[in-house]
Amino acid sequence: MAEDHQMLIDGIKSFFEYDDEINIIGTVNNGEELVKLVSLKQPKLVITDIRMPKMDGIEATKIIKQKHPEIKVLAMTMFDQPNAIKQMLDAGATGYILKNSGVKMLSKAIISVANGETFFDPNVAFNFMNSYVDENVTVGKSEKVVLSNREKEILQLIAKGKTSKQISEELFIAKTTVDTHRKNMIRKLNLNGVNELMKYAIDKKYNF
């Protein structure tokens, strides 16, 4: 996995730590290190961002597919522009997912691409994607959850590692109010406790 934001890597690794199907065997923060890691570890699938230091994900994907055509590549990025999608597909990627789509969709994307399917995030440019769709393409389903502006504000601070007390002081509200918002978000998002809420907040940090 290649991603230049270590916090996002840590959040994804934590989410998949006890997953029976997905095992993350290595992480790096730039394209050059990704190419080296792939040669060393020979993974079944590579997850890569597009914009990274030293070498971007497009160039890294080209090199990986030239040297190891059997390895699948899944792009995980903030870019939903048709040109970015086309460049990654031309480089050899068979999956494209946005960072703000959530780890559940990432899990589905990983399994689909690893099984030889092409996976598109439902939020990418559909007018571009439709020209590529065939019977082997999987399109993820959006899972819309409506959070209030205050809940989004608190979620952003949770992603920064702030405690309920720190959040209450920053937003000038009672700590009990923050705790209530936490409980409401856990219920709305169908999560299992505060640890999953933290993982969700980290995963969604690019959507704030």
Side-chain angles (χ1 to χ4, degrees), residues 71-84:
I71 294 177
K72 310 296 184 183
V73 178
L74 169 64
M76 183 181 68
T77 178
M78 294 172 61
F79 299 110
D80 63 354
Q81 296 91 341
N83 187 50

Side-chain angles (χ1 to χ4, degrees), residues 150-168:
R150 178 62 88 184
E151 286 169 341
K152 291 177 182 177
E153 194 173 19
I154 291 173
L155 197 65
Q156 184 176 12
L157 295 173
I158 291 173
K160 294 179 179 178
K162 293 186 180 291
T163 64
S164 289
K165 185 175 184 298
Q166 290 171 327
I167 293 172
S168 70

Side-chain angles (χ1 to χ4, degrees), residues 10-201:
D10 292 343
I12 291 173
K13 285 175 64 179
S14 178
F15 183 85
F16 289 119
E17 185 175 2
Y18 301 107
D19 194 288
D20 293 331
E21 294 184 274
I22 298 169
N23 180 29
I24 298 177
I25 61 174
T27 62
V28 293
N29 301 117
N30 64 71
E32 283 187 1
E33 292 300 320
L34 175 62
V35 172
K36 294 177 184 177
L37 181 68
V38 168
S39 293
L40 180 66
K41 298 278 190 176
Q42 296 286 308
K44 183 175 182 179
L45 179 144
V46 170
I47 304 170
T48 181
D49 195 358
I50 291 181
R51 184 167 60 189
M52 293 184 295
K54 296 185 179 180
M55 180 188 295
D56 65 29
I58 295 168
E59 186 61 30
T61 297
K62 288 178 182 177
I63 295 172
I64 290 168
K65 294 300 291 185
Q66 286 170 358
K67 293 183 177 180
H68 315 280
E70 75 284 359
I71 294 177
K72 310 296 184 183
V73 178
L74 169 64
M76 183 181 68
T77 178
M78 294 172 61
F79 299 110
D80 63 354
Q81 296 91 341
N83 187 50
I85 301 169
K86 185 178 187 305
Q87 287 186 63
M88 278 304 295
L89 293 176
D90 289 346
T94 51
Y96 201 98
I97 186 170
L98 301 180
K99 289 181 180 179
N100 60 11
S101 294
V103 285
K104 290 183 180 179
M105 189 175 293
L106 174 60
S107 177
K108 184 174 182 179
I110 291 170
I111 293 170
S112 296
V113 172
N115 287 334
E117 300 173 7
T118 299
F119 186 97
F120 281 100
D121 189 301
N123 296 308
V124 299
F126 279 101
N127 58 334
F128 170 84
M129 188 195 73
N130 286 340
S131 64
Y132 283 84
V133 171
D134 59 30
E135 66 275 8
N136 294 318
V137 173
T138 299
V139 178
K141 294 181 179 179
S142 296
E143 299 175 2
K144 291 291 184 182
V145 177
V146 179
L147 298 179
S148 68
N149 289 335
R150 178 62 88 184
E151 286 169 341
K152 291 177 182 177
E153 194 173 19
I154 291 173
L155 197 65
Q156 184 176 12
L157 295 173
I158 291 173
K160 294 179 179 178
K162 293 186 180 291
T163 64
S164 289
K165 185 175 184 298
Q166 290 171 327
I167 293 172
S168 70
E169 291 172 350
E170 185 161 336
L171 299 180
F172 302 103
I173 57 178
K175 178 181 175 295
T176 53
T177 302
V178 177
D179 290 335
T180 299
H181 281 302
R182 282 180 182 267
K183 291 176 183 177
N184 288 340
M185 285 190 285
I186 289 170
R187 175 182 53 79
K188 283 184 179 182
L189 298 167
N190 194 29
L191 303 175
N192 295 316
V194 293
N195 289 336
E196 281 201 9
L197 182 62
M198 169 65 85
K199 293 175 187 176
Y200 181 89

